[in-house]
Amino acid sequence: QVQLVQSGAEVKKPGASVRVSCKASGYTFTGYYIHWVRQAPGQGLEWMGWINPHTGGTNYAPRFPGRVTMTGDTSVSTAYMELNRLRYDDTAVYYCARVEGDCTNAGCNWGSFEYWGQGTLVTVSS
Amino acid sequence: EIVLTQSPATLSLSPGERATLSCRASQSLSSYLDWYQQKPGQAPRLLIFDASDRATGIPARFSGSGSGTDFTLTISSLEPEDFAVYYCQQRRNWPTFGGGTKVEIK
């Protein structure tokens, strides 16, 4: 069965970086995109971006200019999300999700976010 | 960016009652609209995809309707386990989520 298992909780100081991992199993890792979504305490869901593990191609939401990097390691079927220059308002639960996608120069058509990781709490605190 | 506006923010109902949740998009989505349920401490769970199709294992009391810019999630008769937060999501190019509707016990 499809599983996405994320790394454990992190506590970081403002200005530091954090890397969250998302290990996939039960399907062909390179056959689907991995999207990242975060949720601040008591708030809604915020889409952050995606990575195509097959090509390494990425696309990030505009509200993270130059601060987020998504990568993938096909040898261990794991996707990573690194967020730099952490701020207090980056405190959130970070989720990865497996998504079917069809991307062309004109844009992407996405499938549903059917499979999610369990979430990783990142706390930014001095 | 496509903005999704959900209403109401909170719905206070009793078990057995009908719940009607609304999601309005700032531009036409065709049917690229999904609904998710989220309980405290859990990841979102896909309920409805393509506006009206139930995901695998989702009970028939959940139904979705709409197209274009106006969508509705209906829970025909609330069960105790249905009290949760519900999000709509559009998945055209840059996915976005609505702000959520909390269905709470009256």
Side-chain angles (χ1 to χ4, degrees):
Chain A
Q1 73 283 21
V2 175
Q3 277 195 305
L4 300 172
V5 178
Q6 298 183 220
S7 48
E10 302 264 13
V11 179
K12 296 290 183 180
K13 294 189 184 303
S17 298
V18 68
R19 189 175 81 156
V20 178
S21 67
C22 171
K23 183 170 176 59
S25 62
Y27 72 96
T28 301
F29 181 60
T30 52
Y32 295 82
Y33 291 72
I34 294 290
H35 288 238
W36 291 88
V37 175
R38 74 177 186 179
Q39 185 171 37
Q43 303 300 309
L45 301 166
E46 179 181 28
W47 178 77
M48 298 181 67
W50 56 257
I51 179 170
N52 179 340
H54 178 60
T55 65
T58 56
N59 207 340
Y60 307 133
R63 71 158 287 170
F64 302 100
R67 289 209 303 137
V68 67
T69 304
M70 296 175 187
T71 57
D73 185 341
T74 58
S75 68
V76 290
S77 298
T78 300
Y80 303 92
M81 187 284 301
E82 182 169 354
L83 189 60
N84 302 315
R85 304 193 299 278
L86 287 168
R87 310 187 301 233
Y88 292 112
D89 63 357
D90 290 321
T91 294
V93 175
Y94 290 77
Y95 294 101
C96 60
R98 187 197 87 162
V99 182
E100 189 169 2
D102 177 21
C103 292
T104 67
N105 289 337
C108 296
N109 289 316
W110 298 113
S112 300
F113 288 40
E114 186 174 5
Y115 296 98
W116 296 70
Q118 82 276 18
T120 296
L121 175 61
V122 175
T123 303
V124 182
S125 173
S126 56
Chain B
E1 176 181 317
I2 297 175
V3 176
L4 299 178
T5 302
Q6 291 189 241
S7 62
T10 303
L11 202 49
S12 299
L13 296 168
S14 300
E17 289 193 294
R18 182 183 187 90
T20 304
L21 288 67
S22 173
C23 178
R24 176 163 290 178
S26 59
Q27 56 186 275
S28 179
L29 303 177
S30 181
S31 295
Y32 289 98
L33 190 286
D34 298 342
W35 291 94
Y36 296 82
Q37 177 194 67
Q38 189 179 34
K39 296 180 180 178
Q42 296 183 15
R45 177 174 74 142
L46 177 67
L47 295 177
I48 301 289
F49 65 95
D50 291 347
S52 60
D53 292 332
R54 274 190 302 277
T56 303
I58 302 303
R61 64 181 181 272
F62 291 92
S63 63
S65 63
S67 65
T69 61
D70 289 293
F71 301 86
T72 300
L73 173 70
T74 301
I75 310 171
S76 59
S77 177
L78 283 163
E79 297 287 339
E81 62 267 28
D82 299 337
F83 292 92
V85 180
Y86 294 83
Y87 295 95
C88 58
Q89 181 214 27
Q90 66 82 18
R91 41 188 175 78
R92 294 191 68 177
N93 211 20
W94 299 87
T96 53
F97 294 87
T101 291
K102 182 180 182 180
V103 178
E104 65 176 22
I105 299 176
K106 187 174 180 180

